[in-house]
C-alpha cells in the first residue's frame, strides 16, 4: 500500500472507531435495559404508601419477646439494663388495602420488631420477626438513611388487623408503612414469561448499540432478564438519574430477608412493593439492588441505568461502587434457596462479570466508603473475592445462613459457566506480568476478538493488544487515546509492536504502520513512513528536531510533520525528504 493510500485510511479508521469491538458504547436510556419492548407492555402500575403512627394503638407494656425462627414459640428477652429495654409495646391497627408492610423506627432503635396479621373472620397468623434494613447507599450520596425494618409481603389485606410488637421505648416514634404496589394487567403475563424468554424477545433487547456491544464482547450468553417495564416500574418514583462507577470489580449476593410467601404471579407486584418501599419509605433514589431473582428462577432488572453498565446501587453500604448486587427474593436464614433460584443467580453473575472482564475465581481490590453496616471504615483498601456475600463486606446476616452456605456452590457454577478453569490467554498473562490492577487498573470490558485473529482487553488506565504476528503489548494514557481516535488496530497503524516505553520527558509506542510519541509539551503525535525514517536518522527525540509537535499533514506536493526543532517534508514525486 502506498503512503498516500495508507494515510487516506485515516477517515476509515475513525469510522471504524464507531463500530470496532473496542469502541465506547452509547449510553443506555436511564429507564432500563430495553430487554423487553416497553411499547409491548401495559402502562406502569400506580400504587400508594400509607404511614400509620403506632402511638395511636399502644397497649400496656408486656415482656419483650423475640420470635423463634420459623414463627415458633417466642421467648422473653433478658433485661437489657432498664425497664424500657425489658418491656415491649404491642400495637394493633386496622388496615384495609396494601400488600406489603414495614416499620420505620426512631433514630438509634435496634429492634427487635415482629409483625402478625389477622384477616377478616380469621385467626391471628404467626409472628414474623423483621430484621432491620442493612443495605444502604454509600455516605455522601443524596439518598437518605432511615432506620426501618425490611418489608414483609403479606398479599392483599382487606379489612385486616396488623399487630406490631417492638420495644416500648421505640413505639411512640415508630410508624407502620402500608404499601400498595398497585394492580397491573401485565402481572400474570410477566410472571409466567419470566423464565421463558424466546429468541424473538432477546432480539428486541438488542435495539441499542450498548447491548449490541455487550453481546459481542461477553464471553457468556446473556440470560433472560426481564426489564423494569416488565414488572411495571413507575419511573416517576425515582429520585434522580443513575450514577455510574468506572467498572465492575465484584458481585455481592443478598437476600431480601422477607419471610412472606409469594406466588409466581405475584412476583412483579412484590418487586414493585420493594421499589416503592425503597424510594418512598427509605428515601433512596431507586430500588437498591441491581438485579433480583425470584424463587422460581426469574431474573429481573432492579436499579435503572442499563444492565450492561456499572450502575452504583444501594445494596452494600460502603461497597456500592465497582460492585453490583444480586438479591434472592425471600428469607434464606433457614430455608435453602431453590435450585432454579441459585442457577439464575449464577447465570446473571457469570454474564455480568464476563462483560466486564472479571475472573470469577479471582480477587478484587476495593476501597470502603464506610458508613452504615460497612465492615471496614472509610478509606480502607481491602482485597475480597470477586463473588461475595453481603456479610463479607458488612455487619449483617445477609444472605441468611442457608443462603450463605450456597456461596461456594454459586462460585463454582459461575466458574463453570465462564469456563474460567481453562488456560490463561496471552492478554491475561501479560496483565499478570505487568502487575495486574496495580499497573492497569480493573478491566472495563471482557476480552474480545480483534482484526485478523488478534485479541484485546481494555482496562481503567490502559489496553492490551495481542496478535500472533506482533506479540502482546500494552498501550496507555494519551498514546492510547490517540490510537483510539484513529480506529485502534483497524487503522493504518495496525497492532502495537512495543509496550509503551518511557523516555526522558515523554513516551512512545511503535506500531506496524508508524509510531506515536508523547510529551507534555507536544501531546501525542503520529510519525509515519519516510518522515519517521528521516527523524530516526536525526536521533529520534534526542536529536536536534526533538519531539514531534504535529501529526503528518498535506503540503504542496507532499506531506510534512513538524517537530519542536524544525520540520521534515516528504515529496510525493520522488520520495525525497527535506529536513529543516
Amino acid at each position: 500500500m502506498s503512503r498516500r493510500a495508507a494515510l487516506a485510511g485515516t477517515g476509515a479508521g475513525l469510522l471504524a472507531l464507531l463500530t470496532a469491538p473496542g469502541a465506547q458504547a452509547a449510553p443506555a436510556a436511564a429507564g432500563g435495559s430495553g430487554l423487553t419492548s416497553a411499547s409491548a407492555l401495559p402502562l406502569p402500575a400506580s400504587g400508594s404508601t400509607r404511614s400509620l403512627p403506632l402511638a395511636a394503638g399502644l397497649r400496656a407494656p408486656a415482656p419483650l419477646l423475640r420470635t423463634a425462627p420459623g414463627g415458633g414459640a417466642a421467648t422473653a428477652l433478658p433485661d437489657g439494663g432498664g425497664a424500657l429495654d425489658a418491656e415491649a409495646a404491642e400495637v394493633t391497627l386496622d388496615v384495609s388495602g396494601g400488600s406489603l408492610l414495614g416499620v420505620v423506627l426512631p433514630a438509634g432503635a435496634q429492634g427487635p420488631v415482629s409483625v402478625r396479621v389477622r384477616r377478616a373472620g380469621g385467626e391471628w397468623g404467626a409472628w414474623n420477626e423483621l430484621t432491620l434494613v442493612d443495605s444502604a447507599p454509600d455516605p455522601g450520596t443524596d439518598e437518605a438513611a432511615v432506620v426501618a425494618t425490611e418489608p414483609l409481603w403479606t398479599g392483599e389485606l382487606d379489612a385486616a388487623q396488623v399487630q406490631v410488637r417492638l420495644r416500648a421505648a421505640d413505639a411512640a416514634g415508630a410508624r407502620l408503612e402500608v404499601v400498595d404496589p398497585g394492580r397491573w394487567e401485565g402481572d400474570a403475563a410477566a410472571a409466567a414469561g419470566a423464565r421463558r424468554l424466546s429468541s424473538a424477545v432477546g432480539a428486541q433487547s438488542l435495539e441499542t448499540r450498548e447491548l449490541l456491544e455487550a453481546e459481542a464482547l461477553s464471553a457468556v450468553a446473556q440470560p433472560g432478564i426481564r426489564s423494569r417495564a416488565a414488572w411495571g416500574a413507575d419511573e416517576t418514583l425515582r429520585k434522580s438519574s443513575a450514577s455510574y462507577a468506572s467498572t465492575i470489580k465484584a458481585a455481592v449476593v443478598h437476600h431480601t430477608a422477607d419471610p412472606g410467601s409469594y406466588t409466581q404471579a405475584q412476583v412483579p407486584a412484590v418487586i414493585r412493593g420493594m421499589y416503592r418501599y425503597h424510594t418512598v419509605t427509605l428515601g433512596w433514589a431507586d430500588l437498591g439492588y441491581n438485579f433480583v431473582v425470584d424463587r422460581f428462577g426469574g431474573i429481573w432488572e432492579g436499579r435503572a441505568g442499563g444492565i450492561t453498565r456499572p450502575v452504583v446501587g444501594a445494596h452494600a453500604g460502603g461497597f456500592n461502587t465497582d460492585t453490583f448486587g444480586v438479591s434472592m427474593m425471600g428469607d434464606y436464614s433457614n430455608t435453602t434457596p431453590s435450585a432454579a433460584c441459585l442457577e439464575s443467580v449464577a447465570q446473571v453473575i457469570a454474564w455480568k462479570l464476563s462483560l466486564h472482564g472479571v475472573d470469577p475465581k479471582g480477587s478484587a481490590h476495593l476501597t470502603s466508603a464506610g458508613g452504615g453496616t460497612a465492615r471496614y471504615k472509610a478509606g480502607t483498601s481491602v482485597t475480597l473475592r470477586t463473588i461475595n456475600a453481603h456479610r463479607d463486606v458488612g455487619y449483617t446476616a445477609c444472605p441468611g445462613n442457608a443462603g450463605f452456605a450456597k456461596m461456594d456452590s454459586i462460585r463454582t457454577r459461575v466458574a463453570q459457566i465462564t469456563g474460567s478453569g481453562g488456560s490463561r490467554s496471552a492478554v491475561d498473562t501479560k496483565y499478570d506480568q505487568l502487575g495486574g490492577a496495580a499497573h492497569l487498573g480493573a478491566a472495563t470490558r471482557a476480552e474480545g476478538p480483534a482484526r485478523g485473529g488478534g485479541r484485546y482487553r481494555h482496562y481503567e488506565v490502559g489496553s492490551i493488544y495481542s496478535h500472533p504476528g506482533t506479540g502482546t503489548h500494552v498501550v496507555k494514557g494519551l498514546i492510547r487515546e490517540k490510537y483510539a481516535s484513529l480506529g485502534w488496530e483497524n487503522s493504518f497503524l495496525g497492532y502495537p509492536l512495543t509496550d509503551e516505553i518511557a523516555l526522558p520527558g515523554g513516551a512512545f509506542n511503535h506500531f506496524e504502520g508508524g509510531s506515536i510519541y508523547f510529551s507534555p509539551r507536544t501531546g501525542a503525535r503520529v510519525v509515519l513512513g519516510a518522515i519517521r525514517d528521516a527523524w530516526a536518522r536525526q536521533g529520534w527525540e534526542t536529536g536536534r528536531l526533538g519531539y514531534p509537535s504535529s501529526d503528518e499533514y498535506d503540503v504542496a506536493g507532499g506531506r510534512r510533520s513538524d517537530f519542536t526543532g524544525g520540520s521534515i517534508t516528504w515529496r510525493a514525486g520522488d520520495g525525497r525528504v527535506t529536513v529543516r
Side-chain angles (χ1 to χ4, degrees):
M1 180 182 293
S2 69
R3 276 178 54 84
R4 182 165 293 281
L7 290 168
T10 304
L14 290 170
L15 178 61
L17 175 62
L18 301 178
T19 56
Q24 176 66 41
S33 67
L35 280 176
T36 305
S37 174
S39 61
L41 291 168
L43 292 175
S46 58
S48 66
T49 300
R50 287 175 290 156
S51 295
L52 308 179
L54 296 188
L58 279 173
R59 290 185 177 181
L64 185 58
L65 304 179
R66 183 179 291 282
T67 307
T75 57
L77 287 176
D79 192 319
L84 291 180
D85 289 335
E87 291 181 344
E90 280 190 357
V91 180
T92 303
L93 297 173
D94 294 328
V95 174
S96 184
S99 302
L100 183 138
L101 305 173
V103 179
V104 175
L105 299 166
Q110 297 180 348
V113 178
S114 295
V115 173
R116 65 176 178 172
V117 173
R118 179 166 64 187
R119 299 178 188 276
E123 300 294 326
W124 282 108
W127 285 103
N128 292 285
E129 184 171 335
L130 306 183
T131 61
L132 296 187
V133 172
D134 51 24
S135 299
D138 287 338
T141 67
D142 294 333
E143 301 183 65
V146 176
V147 180
T149 70
E150 295 286 3
L152 169 70
W153 175 259
T154 61
E156 189 167 351
L157 299 172
D158 184 16
Q161 287 185 305
V162 174
Q163 198 166 73
V164 182
R165 179 186 285 154
L166 72 169
R167 293 184 183 274
D170 299 333
R175 65 181 191 267
L176 178 69
E177 296 284 289
V178 182
V179 178
D180 179 3
R183 293 180 180 272
W184 189 50
E185 59 181 302
D187 282 349
R195 303 207 66 221
R196 297 198 300 271
L197 289 179
S198 67
S199 58
V201 174
Q204 290 177 353
S205 72
L206 302 180
E207 295 172 349
T208 68
R209 273 198 26 226
E210 177 177 326
L211 290 173
L212 282 167
E213 185 181 64
E215 178 87 353
L217 290 179
S218 179
V220 173
Q222 179 182 309
I225 302 172
R226 300 294 282 184
S227 71
R228 290 170 63 88
W231 51 262
D234 179 356
E235 300 297 354
T236 64
L237 295 180
R238 287 196 286 122
K239 303 288 195 300
S240 61
S241 58
S243 296
Y244 298 96
S246 60
T247 188
I248 289 294
K249 297 180 181 179
V252 182
V253 178
H254 304 259
H255 71 160
T256 61
D258 184 343
S261 181
Y262 56 87
T263 66
Q264 189 167 14
Q266 290 174 327
V267 169
V270 177
I271 301 173
R272 288 199 304 277
M274 287 194 297
Y275 172 49
R276 179 170 279 276
Y277 191 75
H278 286 185
T279 54
V280 176
T281 299
L282 301 183
W284 296 356
D286 196 350
L287 188 68
Y289 310 112
N290 300 99
F291 300 95
V292 291
V293 178
D294 63 53
R295 63 190 181 95
F296 308 100
I299 307 172
W300 305 81
E301 178 185 16
R303 180 160 285 217
I307 60 172
T308 65
R309 304 185 72 191
V311 177
V312 177
H315 58 94
F319 290 91
N320 290 311
T321 300
D322 296 338
T323 71
F324 68 100
V326 181
S327 190
M328 301 178 287
M329 293 171 59
D331 184 349
Y332 296 109
S333 299
N334 302 293
T335 302
T336 300
S338 69
C341 177
L342 291 170
E343 175 63 17
S344 290
V345 169
Q347 290 283 349
V348 73
I349 290 176
W351 170 72
K352 186 75 170 181
L353 292 185
S354 173
L355 184 63
H356 290 273
V358 178
D359 180 1
K361 299 171 72 175
S363 59
H365 302 285
L366 300 171
T367 300
S368 174
T373 61
R375 190 173 286 274
Y376 305 92
K377 66 180 182 180
T380 304
S381 296
V382 296
T383 300
L384 300 166
R385 287 175 289 193
T386 53
I387 304 175
N388 301 281
H390 187 186
R391 64 175 66 177
D392 293 327
V393 298
Y395 289 111
T396 170
C398 183
N401 289 338
F404 184 73
K406 291 295 181 181
M407 287 302 302
D408 283 340
S409 297
I410 291 172
R411 294 184 185 101
T412 299
R413 179 60 181 140
V414 172
Q416 290 174 345
I417 296 168
T418 59
S420 60
S423 59
R424 302 280 283 169
S425 70
V427 171
D428 285 336
T429 300
K430 181 73 172 182
Y431 181 66
D432 293 341
Q433 291 172 346
L434 291 170
H439 185 73
L440 290 180
T444 58
R445 291 287 188 271
E447 182 176 319
R451 177 182 57 81
R455 304 287 294 178
Y456 79 99
R457 180 177 286 172
H458 296 315
Y459 302 87
E460 290 176 293
V461 294
S463 299
I464 297 176
Y465 274 78
S466 179
H467 188 276
T470 58
T472 305
H473 303 290
V474 64
V475 188
K476 300 188 298 181
L478 293 179
I479 291 179
R480 180 175 73 158
E481 289 187 18
K482 187 71 170 182
Y483 187 43
S485 73
L486 297 172
W488 305 101
E489 85 288 354
N490 295 301
S491 73
F492 56 84
L493 284 176
Y495 282 94
L497 299 177
T498 67
D499 291 343
E500 181 178 296
I501 297 174
L503 298 169
F508 77 93
N509 277 84
H510 289 321
F511 298 83
E512 291 178 286
S515 300
I516 300 177
Y517 273 74
F518 164 81
S519 78
R521 176 183 173 186
T522 59
R525 303 296 182 181
V526 178
V527 193
L528 304 169
I531 290 178
R532 185 181 73 162
D533 293 342
W535 182 48
R537 291 193 294 270
Q538 297 290 323
W540 302 98
E541 80 289 346
T542 63
R544 57 180 178 162
L545 290 174
Y547 278 94
S549 57
S550 76
D551 293 335
E552 191 175 291
Y553 58 93
D554 282 322
V555 293
R559 303 279 292 175
R560 178 177 295 161
S561 286
D562 295 328
F563 298 81
T564 56
S567 63
I568 300 177
T569 304
W570 170 80
R571 288 194 337 192
D574 54 17
R576 283 190 181 183
V577 292
T578 303
V579 178
R580 289 184 177 271

